[in-house]
Amino acid sequence: MSQIITLPHADRFFEIRLESIGGLGAHAAGQVLATAAVLRMGLNGAHFSSYGSEKKGSLVRSFVRLGPAERPIRNSAPVETPDAIVVFHAALLRSPATLAGLRKDGTFIYNAPPGVVPEELAALPRTARVIRVNALGIAMEEKSRPNAVLLGALSGQFPFLDTGKILEALSEEFAGKHPEAVASNERAFRRGATDFEVLEGVGHAEGDLPAARPEPAWGYETQPVGGIVPEPGNMAWNDLTASRIGLMPVLDREKCIHCGLCDLVCPDYCLSWGDGEPGGKFERELMGVDYRYCKGCLRCVESCPTGALTKETETAGLADRLRVPLFPDLIP
Ligand code: SF4
Ligand code: SF4
């Protein structure tokens, strides 16, 4: 006979929102969790994701709704007032929508190495549980991916979630497609379930956070006449910061011979050039990288013939300190 599982709230579903960017595996993590809940734990569950442009680096939200077996889930709307939020990339903390709707007794898990707590998290409920997991660091050590670590972290926070069964589902997911990854994912999952920090005194908000329901900037009564677009969108307004997953190129100008090979291979034109010294050897010199546009593919590092560009671990604030803006007049 299967064990009866008691969910935390008898009067409503347990809802989880995974906040991520394309390529970090939030959709797969939500799918594994819901599959384990339905097929192995005897719960009812629903899982779906919303994507932006469906490309690596764009915003992804994955939603999981769990309930007792006897209560059908007929709601397929996005999770607006979650019991748990898991943030796959610390850059997403800059957006208030990432925190929106968290319940006052909710759990907030985010991926970041130990260090200063971002000031944005003061907007969390005072009574919420805040967990920090160095998911990227653990994933790199275990040759796994952050989603396995964060799934372990999430599972480990709630007694009704059976970590053994979720781990079985995770292993089964990979056994068919990538059998070589099963053992490393298992290690990453187990470390996520135990290797985390509980942060105290982070949030200052009282009560549940309001849900985010973005309104269009203009309606039919307020939009400018004549088809004018006062704020045209273009690539200069893009911010690909959240596409980097822990590594970034760093330039040592002493070693640079300004050959431009890095610029030839960069898919996002994020290398900043300036005039060389008057009468000097180079007419144009590489000044640095505009990390606002850098997605961390590291092709520039691979192509650099002198080792002037190196692959470095991205620590908090490093990109902001080293950034050489391409459009200093346009973007602060
Ligand atoms: S490829 Fe290397 S040496 Fe050439 S411009 Fe780029 S950083 Fe400088
Ligand atoms: S890692 Fe290098 S090649 Fe890739 S986007 Fe950044 S600057 Fe361009």
Side-chain angles (χ1 to χ4, degrees):
M1 210 172 92
S2 67
Q3 186 193 349
I4 305 287
I5 294 176
T6 308
L7 283 107
H9 307 284
D11 56 338
R12 59 179 173 80
F13 297 119
F14 186 84
E15 297 183 313
I16 301 164
R17 192 169 74 220
L18 310 180
E19 296 275 355
S20 187
I21 56 172
L24 290 185
H27 177 79
Q31 194 167 26
V32 167
L33 177 59
T35 304
V38 173
L39 298 183
R40 295 169 193 267
M41 294 162 54
L43 294 171
N44 247 338
H47 165 250
F48 51 96
S49 299
S50 79
Y51 305 93
S53 54
E54 289 210 42
K55 70 166 194 169
K56 194 173 175 182
S58 58
L59 191 65
V60 171
R61 289 203 162 102
S62 199
F63 309 104
V64 179
R65 205 166 257 130
L66 302 175
E70 66 279 9
R71 184 182 302 164
I73 298 176
R74 303 202 187 284
N75 181 359
S76 56
V79 169
E80 291 187 328
T81 55
D83 296 284
I85 294 176
V86 184
V87 182
F88 280 54
H89 197 304
L92 296 168
L93 299 176
R94 295 178 193 167
S95 166
T98 302
L99 282 51
L102 185 66
R103 293 177 181 270
K104 61 176 183 280
D105 58 350
T107 297
F108 187 85
I109 301 171
Y110 76 104
N111 169 19
V116 177
V117 176
E119 58 189 31
E120 291 88 349
L121 296 193
L124 286 170
R126 186 177 51 77
T127 46
R129 194 162 42 145
V130 183
I131 309 286
R132 179 166 61 194
V133 191
N134 186 6
L136 184 65
I138 293 173
M140 287 169 87
E141 284 170 20
E142 302 297 349
K143 300 191 171 26
S144 176
R145 301 195 53 211
N147 62 347
V149 184
L150 288 165
L151 187 57
L154 175 66
S155 310
Q157 297 305 316
F158 299 98
F160 79 94
L161 291 175
D162 187 327
T163 50
K165 293 204 162 40
I166 296 169
L167 186 53
E168 281 173 20
L170 177 69
S171 300
E172 190 177 278
E173 170 77 13
F174 279 91
K177 299 181 208 156
H178 303 287
E180 73 288 354
V182 170
S184 55
N185 280 340
E186 284 188 10
R187 289 195 304 274
F189 178 95
R190 287 186 203 284
R191 282 189 63 187
T194 55
D195 206 348
F196 57 83
E197 297 171 83
V198 180
L199 304 177
E200 304 289 350
V202 173
H204 298 303
E206 295 296 336
D208 299 336
L209 296 187
R213 298 215 176 104
E215 297 282 328
W218 300 306
Y220 72 97
E221 289 182 324
T222 56
Q223 69 182 26
V225 291
I228 298 167
V229 182
E231 290 182 16
N234 59 51
M235 62 171 282
W237 295 101
N238 278 347
D239 189 343
L240 298 182
T241 304
S243 301
R244 297 190 298 274
I245 51 173
L247 296 170
M248 57 186 264
V250 170
L251 175 68
D252 178 351
R253 290 198 70 219
E254 294 292 315
K255 294 184 181 169
C256 182
I257 56 172
H258 312 293
C259 64
L261 279 176
C262 50
D263 210 20
L264 280 177
V265 298
C266 177
D268 289 282
Y269 302 112
C270 31
L271 294 145
S272 286
W273 294 80
D275 291 337
E277 293 288 318
K281 193 172 170 190
F282 303 105
E283 202 172 312
R284 299 283 287 167
E285 294 188 2
L286 182 62
M287 299 298 178
V289 181
D290 190 341
Y291 295 101
R292 182 183 173 109
Y293 309 109
C294 172
K295 60 188 175 195
C297 67
L298 302 175
R299 286 184 199 173
C300 54
V301 173
E302 288 158 19
S303 309
C304 178
T306 66
L309 279 166
T310 50
K311 174 176 80 175
E312 306 291 340
T313 300
E314 182 164 1
T315 51
L318 182 63
D320 289 339
R321 283 200 301 282
L322 299 183
R323 178 183 174 214
V324 181
L326 279 166
F327 308 108
D329 299 333
L330 181 63
I331 294 166

